Amino acid sequence: MLLHGLMTDHRAWDGVVAALRDRYRLITVDAPGHGGSPSRSGAYSLEDEADALVEALQELGVDLPVVWAGHSMGGMKALRIALRHPDAVSRLILVSTQPYVEPERTARPYTAMVEAASSWGISTDLAEVIGRLNFHPSFLAGPQGQRWVEHFTGLRGQDIDEACASVFRRGDISDRLGDITVPALVVHGEADIPIRIKVARSWVPLLPDAEFLEIPDCGHTPPCEQPDLLAASIDAFLQRLGTGQRSTAQAR
């Protein structure tokens, strides 16, 4: 189960899916207000999303537990799924994420950015700022990076404002990470801006069974920037430990 981060959509995982689809059954999903998913009405929390995602898999008839892979916001949801629905989780892949509250020094400008997007839309200049936050300069300068910048200009603030609020007002779950006993692979770009590498280094030891991979010359979005390396790392992790599922369905 592959969960994307704020302001992207399921396509952020396309490169990883292309590399792994012959070995695993992969499910990608668009968060509320992103991609093909309508926005939720009213405020909601990451915990609400965690519950909804597990319920959605059950409605699809997917056998639990499954491997949950989450980037940024998606990783925050995956951590909460592991805490609230441990029977639904066999392994965790946590990419560019963290368990702490959003620091006030970043929450305020991020919230202002969303408010501006709701009032006036996302200009090319604002989209470039979002791009610089999400991607390493070398990726951003290329065609794929510029396609994501163009994507940002098409977002509507009123569609993503509650998703953003759920991230920016999240609670601190770092004191509960010891309860997550499934094996986890934590991946972080060394040049990440929204979540600095030192933050990742501080919380990974709180997980009882975690491996940590730091990717050089990579920003906040390894699934886009380094999909082959990320896919190979995920595959090696799962091949070494197994998926932890009762049965493994053929990829499709």
Side-chain angles (χ1 to χ4, degrees):
M1 187 70 169
L2 307 175
L3 310 177
H4 66 82
L6 269 176
M7 300 191 184
T8 60
D9 56 38
H10 71 278
R11 295 172 300 160
W13 289 100
D14 278 357
V16 174
V17 168
L20 297 180
R21 68 190 319 157
D22 292 335
R23 192 179 293 270
Y24 306 98
R25 181 187 182 192
L26 304 166
I27 301 174
T28 58
V29 61
D30 286 330
H34 295 69
S37 291
S39 57
R40 278 187 179 221
S41 58
Y44 61 91
S45 66
L46 292 174
E47 285 75 14
D48 293 332
E49 270 291 277
D51 296 344
L53 284 162
V54 173
E55 182 179 352
L57 280 192
Q58 292 170 332
E59 290 177 352
L60 287 171
V62 175
D63 291 332
L64 300 176
V66 301
V67 179
W68 293 84
H71 166 246
S72 193
M73 173 181 70
M76 296 172 188
K77 294 176 185 179
L79 284 170
R80 285 161 175 79
I81 290 167
L83 289 170
R84 296 170 68 85
H85 304 278
D87 292 342
V89 181
S90 63
R91 304 284 186 263
L92 285 172
I93 315 293
L94 303 167
V95 184
S96 306
T97 194
Q98 59 135 311
Y100 307 118
V101 298
E102 187 69 36
E104 184 64 19
R105 61 179 172 77
T106 53
R108 291 179 63 185
Y110 289 166
T111 300
M113 182 172 62
V114 176
E115 290 174 349
S118 295
S119 299
W120 302 294
I122 298 180
S123 66
T124 300
D125 288 343
L126 180 54
E128 287 286 353
V129 171
I130 296 170
R132 288 196 292 272
L133 288 171
N134 275 278
F135 305 118
H136 189 274
S138 60
F139 178 84
L140 185 60
Q144 293 184 64
Q146 287 304 301
R147 279 196 292 270
W148 279 111
V149 170
E150 183 179 356
H151 159 79
F152 297 144
T153 64
L155 295 174
R156 299 196 317 159
Q158 57 266 42
D159 289 336
I160 62 171
D161 56 355
E162 290 298 344
C164 292
S166 73
V167 172
F168 302 153
R169 65 167 178 252
R170 67 185 181 273
D172 186 346
I173 59 171
S174 60
D175 62 344
R176 300 178 59 200
L177 294 186
D179 296 334
I180 299 175
T181 57
V182 296
L185 172 65
V186 182
V187 181
H188 216 89
E190 290 183 351
D192 193 317
I193 293 176
I195 304 175
R196 301 288 184 175
I197 188 67
K198 66 180 182 181
V199 175
R201 292 169 180 162
S202 73
W203 71 263
V204 172
L206 302 177
L207 288 170
D209 187 1
E211 302 176 24
F212 187 33
L213 172 65
E214 300 182 16
I215 303 181
D217 300 321
C218 184
H220 183 60
T221 316
C224 296
E225 300 174 63
Q226 298 281 354
D228 292 339
L229 175 58
L230 178 57
S233 301
I234 291 172
D235 189 36
F237 174 71
L238 296 178
Q239 288 296 310
R240 185 167 62 256
L241 297 178
T243 62
Q245 296 166 279
R246 286 185 288 271
S247 62
T248 302
Q250 190 66 31
R252 68 184 187 188

